[in-house]
Amino acid sequence: MAAPVVFFAVFFAYPVAAIVARGLKTDGAWHFGRIGEVLAQSDVRHVLWFTTWQALVSTALTLLVALPGAYVFARFDFPGKQVLRAVVTVPFVLPTVVVGTAFLAMVGRGGLLDELWGVRLDTTVWAILLAHVFFNYAVVVRTVGGLWAQLDPRQEEAARMLGASQLKAWRQVTLPALGPAVAAAALMVFLFTFTSFGVVQILGGPTFSTLEVEIYRQTSEIFDLSTAAVLTLIQFAAVGAILAVHAWTVRRRETALRLVDASVTARRPRGAGQWTLLGGVLLTIAVLLVLPLAVLVQRSLDAPGLGYYRALTSEDGGVFLVPPIEAIGNSLSYAVAATLIAVLIGGLAAVALTRRDAGRLVRGFDALLMLPLGVSAVTVGFGFLISLDEPPLDLRSSWILVPLAQALVGVPFVVRTMLPVLRAVDVRLREAASVLGASPWRVWREVDLPMVRRALLIAAGFAFAVSLGEFGATVFIARPDRPTLPVAVARLLGRPGDLNYGQAMALSTILMVVCAVALLVLERLRTDRTGEF
Amino acid sequence: MSTTKKRLTAVVVGLGMAGTLAACGSSDGGQGSGDSKTVTLVSHDSWAVSKDVIAAFEKQSGYKVDVLKDGDAGQAVNKAILTKDNPQGDVFFGVDNTLLSRALDNGLFQPYEPKGSDTIKAEYRVDGDRHRVTPIDTGDICVNYDKKYFADRDLEPPKSFDDLVKPQYKNLLVTENASASSPGLGFLLGTAAEYGDNGWEGYWKKLKANGVKVVDGWEQAYNEEFSGSSSGKKAKGDRPLVVSYASSPPAEVLYTKPKPTTAPTGVAEGTCFRQVEYAGLLGNARNSKGGKALLDFLIGKRFQEDMPLNMFVYPVTEGAQVPPDFVKYGPQVKDPETMDPAKIADHRDQWVKSWTSLVLK
């Protein structure tokens, strides 16, 4: 318990507090009056309103589109299912700079919708909402689908046998069991869309702004740190509330349900209705998720003889001090380090949280661990800059800063994956082993480890993929001679010329493939009960 | 207890190994804290220099140069201000005339007049005798046009700000959000310089009525909306006019293989606003001697002549040659709009605010 607490205190709470204090404290006195002043501005209230309603609509839309997908993935068996499940997860771990560009090409001018029906959605709120569905589809499929696959279908069948209609059986048997998972997924999607940054910046144009975008503007462009600090606090409060509700639904979900092995519940679709459903879901995935990714690939290949890929190995452009291809190695090694940190910290936290004597305080920590997902990267980045600058914590120019920042977003995934599995380990097994004379270390090795090994690997894999795609914090601290893939892509996009743009697309494609491979490996490791992600 | 410890040790050793793995190949330390043999340059993402040029400086001065690219131009300045008590380096390069006052008012720099600063063209010098900053390069923010679009329609491309509000150019221009993007801000300042404090709002009303499109950043405007850039063509951009740089046409040529004989885009020379970028010695620089040597080098001929093809900017010193490719494919803008940094400082925020409510709402 101590390690995760210290980790979060030093690398999250302290930097964030430092930057907020910089904004709200002058000459040693706090100016909390600023909060009222900022809230009184109509611009700020407008931002708050937009942030909230677009998140609500995005969440509803995501559920609407993704719940059939969750059902199909849970209940049907079809060739390529594992690959497809990895593919739909790719958007979730890809940096928005990359996909925003491709998404724009789809719903913007000359995009598919434009060519078919002359519909263009760029700089409308629809582009934002669709992109949110694109990014969060996997959250619903994995969270809800994961549980759905383990619900015993015989319960519903029994209800029907007793005379309930199909709808009634579903409403009274399946829905209540799924409810908490749907709520948890909805809250996660709400959290991600409430704090949406890249999507809104790229697709919304200058007219739409979320709280997160506004914090970025105030910090990075206007340099009004006190307004930024107030906005950060507002976002903090909102995210805290979302997480508290989330923690509550999660606990409710971990109540006993009769779960069965996922592999026995899925079967080939039967009848026209089921085939239509499957077809519809596959079509949705193809249009909404695969197409934007395909646009990236197509653009990366748009030079004779893989020209853009070959250009990655030379350093002519001077955008970097090294050939862009080296970004792959950088990304991988950072991600490995970040994964190790995330698994260590997240694993220890999960173990502490499962202890039976864990009180309310510890369980509150559960929600706190999720906070980094909802706090703006620019706040954390600026916080790092002013707080980690003196020995013994002079880390500003150290390579470890990047994996540390990436681990902050990886830890919540590790915790969420490990917790349910650890909680499922019967304590009596541990007690029995202890009684028979096993040391605590041996108990862990012989009892816990075999049961959590796969979950641990999955957690590591997810942390790895998330680290690979992390952009917001990395771009703040990555050293120029060691850019990561997302950082390299963003820099290449920032320069004119065919070759730079092409290289950006090629690097994006590589990033996408690496993420997809990592996720595909995860699919092979899936266990019958693997938590939320 | 001891077992837990053992476990922790094993993990920590594992972490350490991963660390070595991740760090392999990178020069550690950076920052040059107390190390007088290293001089650290803090800059923005666009910083670039030829390897042999920086190697020549290292050889001649005996200092190793460490570069820290710290985000886009505005971000880099803000970060430098935030960390000024304990700076990340010795020299900061890349504060431009639109943000200069923010840096100076916050006391970011200490005075130093580099050797050879008499070669800097007079029009770029600021800050009188205090010498807190040294001009290093200039660039022009101008409307670029898609040559093919106008040739196909037998239409003259626009030449001036006045042209942009004419009916034949309706719905053709895309620009950037002045509150979020430096070319966007530069274009706004250009119109303010042209039409004056009282006239620019009227001009923008006309521009809005003439269908100007505003997007958030240069990347979207240039790579997605503009029909003349190679990336914009791929994205099926449909706006033949974009606010970009006078150096974008040569960049289009140099970053296309095989190199075309002429640039696919041109520059409307009557729409340009001149940006000047400055460098200075950071207030609490640890290696101020090295920093001074670096500043001398930045206005030296070798570096000045190396800049254009790396950062797509123009030298500020007399006698520095601009590479032939640059002259061939891009214009040397004769009469750009300019504005005193002090005036920009006084009006920037108010103008951006008025612009936002005028154009975006």
Side-chain angles (χ1 to χ4, degrees):
Chain A
M1 192 66 202
V5 172
V6 169
F7 178 82
F8 269 80
V10 173
F11 297 116
F12 179 68
Y14 171 51
V16 170
I19 189 75
V20 169
R22 179 71 77 103
L24 286 183
K25 213 166 140 182
T26 41
D27 309 321
W30 287 92
H31 297 282
F32 289 114
R34 280 293 291 154
I35 298 178
E37 283 169 40
V38 170
L39 275 173
Q41 292 168 21
S42 67
D43 284 4
V44 170
R45 285 207 308 270
H46 181 79
V47 166
L48 267 172
W49 165 239
F50 176 72
T51 308
T52 311
W53 86 252
Q54 66 80 24
L56 279 172
V57 177
S58 296
T59 308
L61 207 58
T62 308
L63 285 177
L64 194 72
V65 175
L67 278 177
Y71 175 76
V72 163
F73 276 104
R75 287 295 195 228
F76 292 161
D77 213 0
F78 52 93
K81 185 167 139 180
Q82 285 193 342
V83 177
L84 204 61
R85 200 189 340 236
V87 167
V88 303
T89 316
V90 166
F92 183 69
V93 294
L94 276 188
T96 44
V97 266
V98 174
V99 191
T101 310
F103 212 77
L104 200 59
M106 222 193 69
V107 297
R109 101 209 62 72
L112 191 82
L113 295 179
D114 193 8
E115 269 165 20
L116 286 181
W117 302 294
V119 178
R120 281 172 54 169
L121 302 173
D122 48 330
T123 69
T124 69
V125 75
W126 281 102
I128 297 176
L129 298 177
L130 280 180
H132 282 160
V133 175
F134 170 83
F135 274 105
N136 294 304
Y137 190 89
V139 176
V140 176
V141 166
R142 296 187 90 95
T143 313
V144 181
L147 182 71
W148 210 332
Q150 299 162 58
L151 288 183
D152 194 339
R154 281 171 304 188
Q155 290 176 331
E156 203 179 308
E157 280 155 22
R160 296 208 50 199
M161 212 93 86
L162 294 169
S165 70
Q166 195 167 357
L167 186 70
K168 193 170 179 195
W170 189 81
R171 220 181 53 217
Q172 299 205 326
V173 178
T174 309
L175 193 61
L178 278 183
V182 174
L187 281 162
M188 281 327 280
V189 175
F190 186 79
L191 174 71
F192 292 137
T193 52
F194 188 82
T195 58
S196 182
F197 175 69
V199 166
V200 177
Q201 256 220 329
I202 294 176
L203 297 177
T207 36
F208 297 111
S209 182
T210 54
L211 205 45
E212 183 103 355
V213 172
E214 202 54 33
I215 292 173
Y216 176 84
R217 270 189 201 149
Q218 296 292 342
T219 313
S220 217
E221 281 147 15
I222 303 170
F223 205 51
D224 181 348
L225 291 182
S226 76
T227 302
V230 173
L231 296 178
T232 301
L233 289 178
I234 295 172
Q235 179 155 328
F236 227 87
V239 167
I242 298 169
L243 288 176
V245 180
H246 179 260
W248 178 68
T249 63
V250 164
R251 261 197 304 284
R252 266 183 55 204
R253 188 152 52 101
E254 278 158 9
T255 55
L257 280 173
R258 264 193 64 196
L259 295 181
V260 293
D261 189 345
S263 60
V264 303
T265 62
R267 53 166 190 238
R268 295 236 134 202
R270 276 179 307 202
Q274 296 196 343
W275 280 108
T276 315
L277 180 63
L278 176 62
V281 166
L282 291 182
L283 188 71
T284 313
I285 292 175
V287 172
L288 204 63
L289 282 91
V290 177
L291 212 61
L293 300 178
V295 168
L296 283 182
V297 179
Q298 184 255 323
R299 287 194 185 173
S300 78
L301 294 171
D302 214 4
L306 296 177
Y308 297 142
Y309 289 88
R310 280 188 288 130
L312 293 175
T313 54
S314 65
E315 57 177 288
D316 59 343
V319 189
F320 310 105
L321 306 166
V322 293
I325 195 91
E326 285 190 17
I328 299 173
N330 295 338
S331 263
L332 289 176
S333 45
Y334 280 142
V336 167
T339 304
L340 283 169
I341 299 171
V343 167
L344 174 71
I345 301 296
L348 286 173
V351 169
L353 287 169
T354 20
R355 286 197 1 211
R356 258 206 306 188
D357 53 352
R360 285 184 82 87
L361 210 65
V362 176
R363 275 187 279 139
F365 189 63
D366 183 7
L368 281 182
L369 284 170
M370 308 278 281
L371 262 185
L373 291 180
V375 170
S376 89
V378 69
T379 304
V380 177
F382 268 76
F384 269 29
L385 205 64
I386 60 166
S387 63
L388 303 177
D389 64 335
E390 274 163 38
L393 278 173
D394 185 7
L395 298 175
R396 283 192 316 198
S397 57
S398 161
W399 65 272
I400 192 80
L401 211 51
V402 173
L404 282 173
Q406 294 177 346
L408 275 179
V409 277
V411 166
F413 293 97
V414 174
V415 174
R416 292 262 71 83
T417 312
M418 301 283 298
L419 258 187
V421 184
L422 279 172
R423 287 201 172 129
V425 176
D426 195 332
V427 276
R428 283 170 300 184
L429 280 176
R430 293 196 194 108
E431 285 162 3
S434 295
V435 168
L436 293 171
S439 65
W441 165 232
R442 183 131 184 237
V443 170
W444 190 81
R445 205 185 56 197
E446 305 265 342
V447 177
D448 291 75
L449 189 62
M451 302 179 102
V452 302
R453 197 176 53 95
R454 284 158 79 91
L456 201 62
L457 285 172
I458 288 175
F462 226 94
F464 182 75
V466 171
S467 313
L468 272 183
E470 209 288 328
F471 175 70
T474 308
V475 72
F476 255 83
I477 44 192
R479 292 175 55 83
D481 53 338
R482 297 181 53 73
T484 64
L485 279 170
V487 172
V489 169
R491 286 202 195 141
L492 284 166
L493 281 178
R495 303 193 113 201
D498 181 43
L499 211 52
N500 287 323
Y501 185 81
Q503 288 185 72
M505 294 300 127
L507 272 187
S508 304
T509 305
I510 292 173
L511 175 62
M512 196 162 77
V513 170
V514 175
C515 285
V517 168
L519 292 165
L520 208 58
V521 173
L522 290 195
E523 285 308 318
R524 303 222 157 263
L525 285 169
R526 274 178 78 85
T527 55
D528 54 333
R529 186 160 186 170
T530 50
E532 257 174 68
F533 295 99
Chain B
M1 234 17 226
S2 69
T3 44
T4 336
K5 235 182 206 160
K6 229 187 274 167
R7 209 162 90 212
L8 265 177
T9 326
V11 178
V12 170
V13 170
L15 264 179
M17 273 163 56
T20 338
L21 183 84
C24 67
S26 91
S27 57
D28 226 28
Q31 206 169 318
S33 35
D35 176 6
S36 59
K37 283 287 125 212
T38 301
V39 57
T40 304
L41 175 76
V42 185
S43 185
H44 50 59
D45 289 338
S46 308
W47 162 266
V49 60
S50 300
K51 251 189 180 164
D52 55 323
V53 172
I54 208 78
F57 167 73
E58 291 186 335
K59 194 158 172 239
Q60 158 221 323
S61 69
Y63 295 110
K64 192 191 162 301
V65 179
D66 228 341
V67 180
L68 186 73
K69 292 196 209 183
D70 224 2
D72 67 37
Q75 240 177 55
V77 173
N78 295 348
K79 287 192 196 174
I81 293 171
L82 265 181
T83 56
K84 70 179 168 126
D85 296 334
N86 183 7
Q88 295 183 285
D90 307 302
V91 171
F92 183 87
F93 162 79
V95 53
D96 68 21
N97 43 339
T98 65
L99 287 177
L100 184 63
S101 60
R102 187 184 287 169
L104 294 181
D105 294 348
N106 279 285
L108 190 57
F109 299 113
Q110 54 176 300
Y112 173 65
E113 186 181 3
K115 290 191 190 81
S117 55
D118 51 324
T119 61
I120 297 170
K121 292 176 189 160
E123 70 238 57
Y124 301 129
R125 295 187 202 175
V126 288
D127 206 29
D129 292 332
R130 298 178 70 182
H131 300 293
R132 288 173 296 180
V133 285
T134 307
I136 305 293
D137 67 73
T138 74
D140 296 300
I141 291 163
C142 313
V143 170
N144 282 207
Y145 58 84
D146 175 1
K147 283 184 182 166
K148 187 169 177 300
Y149 178 93
F150 290 100
D152 286 353
R153 282 163 187 75
D154 242 349
L155 183 65
E156 275 289 306
K159 291 194 178 66
S160 62
F161 287 116
D162 279 343
D163 283 350
L164 294 175
V165 294
K166 289 183 180 161
Q168 63 262 42
Y169 304 115
K170 194 170 172 71
N171 297 332
L172 300 190
L173 175 67
V174 57
T175 185
E176 298 86 359
N177 184 354
S179 78
S181 138
S182 68
L185 176 61
F187 187 60
L188 165 60
L189 294 175
T191 62
E194 169 80 19
Y195 299 104
D197 300 4
N198 300 317
W200 71 266
E201 292 193 21
Y203 176 76
W204 274 93
K205 273 183 201 145
K206 283 191 235 160
L207 208 52
K208 192 180 180 186
N210 213 29
V212 66
K213 181 171 185 178
V214 182
V215 296
D216 229 32
W218 177 88
E219 284 85 349
Q220 287 137 267
Y222 195 83
N223 290 333
E224 298 288 340
E225 302 285 341
F226 181 42
S227 62
S229 66
S230 42
S231 44
K233 277 194 195 89
K234 264 174 221 162
K236 303 203 178 94
D238 60 1
R239 296 245 160 185
L241 298 172
V242 66
V243 172
S244 187
Y245 297 90
S247 57
S248 303
E252 280 293 336
V253 175
L254 296 170
Y255 285 112
T256 301
K257 278 180 187 168
K259 231 199 278 182
T261 46
T262 55
T265 56
V267 166
E269 292 194 43
T271 62
C272 296
F273 177 78
R274 179 145 297 177
Q275 252 182 330
V276 184
E277 276 192 303
Y278 307 87
L281 190 59
L282 285 165
N284 290 311
R286 287 193 186 81
N287 183 0
S288 57
K289 242 181 107 190
K292 287 173 183 171
L294 187 59
L295 280 171
D296 297 347
F297 166 74
L298 291 181
I299 56 163
K301 198 168 175 188
R302 182 107 197 239
F303 180 78
Q304 287 282 313
E305 291 187 346
D306 183 59
M307 287 187 313
L309 289 179
N310 279 303
M311 293 191 273
F312 291 89
V313 290
Y314 297 87
V316 292
T317 56
E318 303 280 359
Q321 297 290 316
V322 179
D325 271 348
F326 229 60
V327 182
K328 191 170 158 200
Y329 300 115
Q332 304 267 15
V333 178
K334 293 278 174 324
D335 238 343
E337 303 288 346
T338 55
M339 199 181 284
D340 179 20
K343 177 162 187 191
I344 298 175
D346 290 343
H347 294 89
R348 185 186 55 227
D349 293 347
Q350 189 46 51
W351 282 346
V352 168
K353 228 177 209 162
S354 317
W355 179 89
T356 306
S357 53
L358 188 73
V359 182
L360 294 184
K361 303 242 158 98

